[in-house]
Amino acid sequence: MSASRVLVVDDEVSIRRTLREILEYEDLVVEEATDGEEALSKLRKSTFDVVLLDIKMPKQDGLQVLATCVETWPELPVIMISGHADIKTAVEATQSGAFHFIEKPPDLQHLLVTVRSALERGKLVIENRRLRQALKQQQGSVLVPMLGDSRAMHAVKGLIERVGPTEARVLITGEPGTGKELAARWIHTQSLRREGPMVAVNCAAIPSELIESELFGHEKGSFTGANRQRIGKFEQAHSGTLFLDEIGDMSMPAQAKVLRVLQENRLTRVGGERTINVDVRVVAATNKDLRVAIDEGKFREDLYHRLSVILLNMPPIRERTGDVSMLIEHFASRLSKRNGLPPKIFTSEAINKLSSLPWRGNVREVSNVVERLMILSETDTVTLSDVEHLVVPASSEEGQIHAMAKHYGKLADFRDHTERLFLQQKLEENNWNVSQTATKIGIQRSHLHTRIKHYNLERDA
């Protein structure tokens, strides 16, 4: 993680020197400015995590600079530096948006505590903004469209429009990568519960011994490691929709408890005694044939009938090849905007060739292939030749590796590209559970967080 950057603004050389020595001893990166105009110039050219700003300076004083900072960089913490005679002005500055103020000459401990608090506040503001954006996407403010003009997709959209406004439970079936979670989100968006939460649980990504705690919550001290109370997914989804993905992988004991909740609309947390009422619409999904699982004794028949009031099957790509061109156009546009890639046009020959492929990974595979072509094709047009060299050989893993190796001249670039694809795939397999993913691929969670940030990996809406 890079060191935090501090801009010290003061016209007194001795004050700047003192502040620099203190802050650099704390492993902070320090830049200096001698007046307000120089400070604003540096703020416009570089990014800082906190500003230490003197009040009385030539050209532009601290209050003028503060006003510009509050308007232009509202998330940037500004600490005012004031002489004893300026205390009243410094207090007024905090009311105008300054984070805090310190007196000259600065007290070491007070300065460090104030700077650390400002840095922490700045991090919290950024994190809260990120969480709000993620929540908006989760609630459907930014929702990927259900793409396709084929007869199969028109049937899916029509069924969602009909069943969405009802309270009926829906069981979504289909092969991996066909868009089962997207269908669930559209059902929620079409429902009367759309203002409530949409909570998703990947039952396959949670160890069987933890699934009950994940779904129903637990009380503090209910088992080893339960250091605090946890609210389960059913409670989190109260007045909204709970999406149980890969329901076919849920353990039999957990199935029994889910059935009880669906029957009684109430639950008890693990280790608790109090009964909690819940009002949740359940939408489930699976890529397995649950009727076969019932015959094998791996899935409860009574739960199946509770979940499958409405059956919705997501068609594989091979049953709607006419939609491939639309999917290509969508993913190419999205990847161009999200990853900063130059826009590229797919020739009709390239699209025809892509439409003829088997697409065993369905929509997810289409997205990955389009991204590969956008990155590795050498011109602003994706041609039939590009598809034949970069996609068709990829039916064998060795062919795909040879195609990428031919494109990259340096080992570091090749390694970065393959690592990015690997991490994206594993995160998706584990429903973006970072701890679970880190454990399965054999690295520390903190290291995985670092790689996610390094590659700007994001979960699809």
Side-chain angles (χ1 to χ4, degrees):
M1 182 180 296
S2 59
S4 298
R5 291 169 51 81
V6 181
L7 178 62
V8 176
V9 189
D10 199 300
D11 60 332
E12 297 183 48
V13 176
S14 60
I15 294 294
R16 296 201 307 273
R17 184 186 304 116
T18 300
L19 293 173
R20 173 183 282 277
E21 291 175 354
I22 294 172
L23 297 172
E24 287 185 341
Y25 186 78
E26 294 295 312
D27 295 326
L28 299 173
V29 176
V30 180
E31 288 268 347
E32 296 181 18
T34 59
D35 56 54
E37 288 186 359
E38 184 182 2
L40 291 175
S41 175
K42 291 195 172 187
L43 285 168
R44 293 187 180 102
K45 294 178 181 178
S46 302
T47 300
F48 293 92
D49 299 292
V50 66
V51 176
L52 294 174
L53 179 62
D54 189 21
I55 291 180
K56 289 189 176 180
M57 293 184 298
K59 297 185 180 179
Q60 287 198 44
D61 64 24
L63 294 180
Q64 291 174 304
V65 176
L66 173 64
T68 302
C69 288
V70 171
E71 180 179 355
T72 309
W73 306 282
E75 297 172 354
L76 177 64
V78 179
I79 300 171
M80 306 304 293
I81 308 173
S82 62
H84 181 71
D86 301 322
I87 293 297
K88 182 178 179 181
T89 305
V91 172
E92 293 175 355
T94 60
Q95 297 173 346
S96 301
F99 176 77
H100 198 51
F101 67 90
I102 58 176
E103 290 186 63
K104 295 180 181 179
D107 174 77
L108 173 61
Q109 292 302 320
H110 181 59
L111 170 66
L112 292 178
V113 169
T114 303
V115 170
R116 288 170 186 153
S117 299
L119 290 171
E120 188 63 28
R121 200 285 297 266
K123 292 177 182 176
L124 288 173
V125 169
I126 294 172
E127 179 65 12
N128 286 337
R129 181 182 62 184
R130 185 190 68 79
L131 289 174
R132 285 196 300 269
Q133 290 174 342
L135 182 61
K136 286 181 179 179
Q137 289 191 346
Q138 182 180 13
Q139 299 300 336
S141 297
V142 180
L143 189 60
V144 176
M146 297 283 291
L147 295 172
D149 284 331
S150 62
R151 179 179 299 178
M153 283 307 296
H154 276 296
V156 167
K157 295 175 187 177
L159 185 56
I160 289 176
E161 290 178 359
R162 293 176 60 188
V163 74
T166 73
E167 286 292 296
R169 299 189 186 106
V170 183
L171 177 61
I172 306 173
T173 59
E175 298 175 6
T178 50
K180 295 187 290 294
E181 182 170 352
L182 178 60
R185 293 191 178 279
W186 272 105
I187 291 172
H188 174 72
T189 302
Q190 297 283 338
S191 74
L192 300 177
R193 296 173 176 264
R194 55 183 169 271
E195 297 301 325
M198 164 78 178
V199 179
V201 183
N202 187 336
C203 302
I206 304 172
S208 57
E209 63 271 17
L210 297 179
I211 187 68
E212 293 183 26
S213 172
E214 186 76 15
L215 292 175
F216 312 119
H218 63 249
E219 299 292 350
K220 181 179 179 180
S222 56
F223 54 85
T224 303
N227 300 320
R228 59 183 177 85
Q229 183 191 71
R230 178 189 179 93
I231 304 300
K233 299 299 186 182
F234 267 95
E235 286 184 76
Q236 294 176 30
H238 183 72
S239 76
T241 302
L242 177 64
F243 176 54
L244 298 177
D245 197 9
E246 304 301 345
I247 188 74
D249 292 288
M250 183 180 288
S251 66
M252 293 295 280
Q255 290 179 36
K257 292 196 173 184
V258 168
L259 177 64
R260 172 77 56 106
V261 174
L262 297 183
Q263 290 172 334
E264 301 179 355
N265 293 319
R266 57 185 182 182
L267 58 83
T268 302
R269 298 189 190 120
V270 175
E273 298 179 356
R274 183 168 62 94
T275 299
I276 301 168
N277 294 324
V278 288
D279 174 22
V280 173
R281 181 187 190 180
V282 172
V283 176
T286 181
N287 58 21
K288 297 181 177 180
D289 189 333
L290 294 186
R291 289 164 296 190
V292 172
I294 291 170
D295 293 338
E296 295 175 348
K298 297 178 180 179
F299 200 83
R300 295 180 63 105
E301 186 172 7
D302 46 4
L303 178 58
Y304 173 79
H305 292 303
R306 285 278 178 178
L307 295 172
S308 60
V309 176
I310 302 293
L311 286 170
L312 172 61
N313 182 64
M314 296 299 295
I317 292 295
R318 63 179 176 275
E319 294 180 7
R320 56 185 189 107
T321 55
D323 293 334
V324 172
S325 61
M326 185 182 298
L327 292 169
I328 292 171
E329 181 180 354
H330 167 75
F331 287 127
S333 174
R334 190 182 69 171
L335 290 166
S336 177
K337 295 175 182 177
R338 190 178 71 179
N339 296 341
L341 299 172
K344 295 189 177 184
I345 298 174
F346 285 68
T347 66
S348 58
E349 293 83 3
I351 291 176
N352 290 337
K353 184 65 177 180
L354 289 169
S355 298
S356 68
L357 298 180
W359 298 117
R360 295 181 181 88
N362 292 296
V363 178
R364 187 177 296 131
E365 185 183 3
V366 176
S367 175
N368 291 341
V369 165
V370 170
E371 183 172 12
R372 187 189 315 154
L373 289 167
M374 293 279 287
I375 295 172
L376 300 184
S377 61
E378 298 180 352
T379 66
D380 57 2
T381 301
V382 178
T383 66
L384 174 61
S385 177
D386 293 323
V387 175
E388 291 175 341
H389 284 88
L390 299 173
V391 180
V392 177
S395 56
S396 67
E397 294 181 1
E398 184 178 355
Q400 181 177 353
I401 292 172
H402 281 309
M404 290 192 295
K406 183 178 180 181
H407 175 78
Y408 289 105
K410 295 183 178 179
L411 175 62
D413 294 335
F414 176 78
R415 184 177 59 241
D416 285 349
H417 178 72
T418 54
E419 182 180 19
R420 182 183 185 279
L421 293 177
F422 174 78
L423 293 178
Q424 181 83 42
Q425 177 65 31
K426 294 305 178 184
L427 285 163
E428 290 176 357
E429 289 177 3
N430 291 285
N431 199 32
W432 273 78
N433 184 318
V434 176
S435 298
Q436 184 82 12
T437 305
T439 299
K440 287 191 174 183
I441 66 177
I443 66 174
Q444 295 183 351
R445 184 176 64 175
S446 59
H447 182 56
L448 180 54
H449 274 295
T450 300
R451 305 314 291 167
I452 290 172
K453 183 177 180 180
H454 175 73
Y455 293 120
N456 293 319
L457 297 177
E458 296 179 354
R459 182 176 186 174
D460 288 340

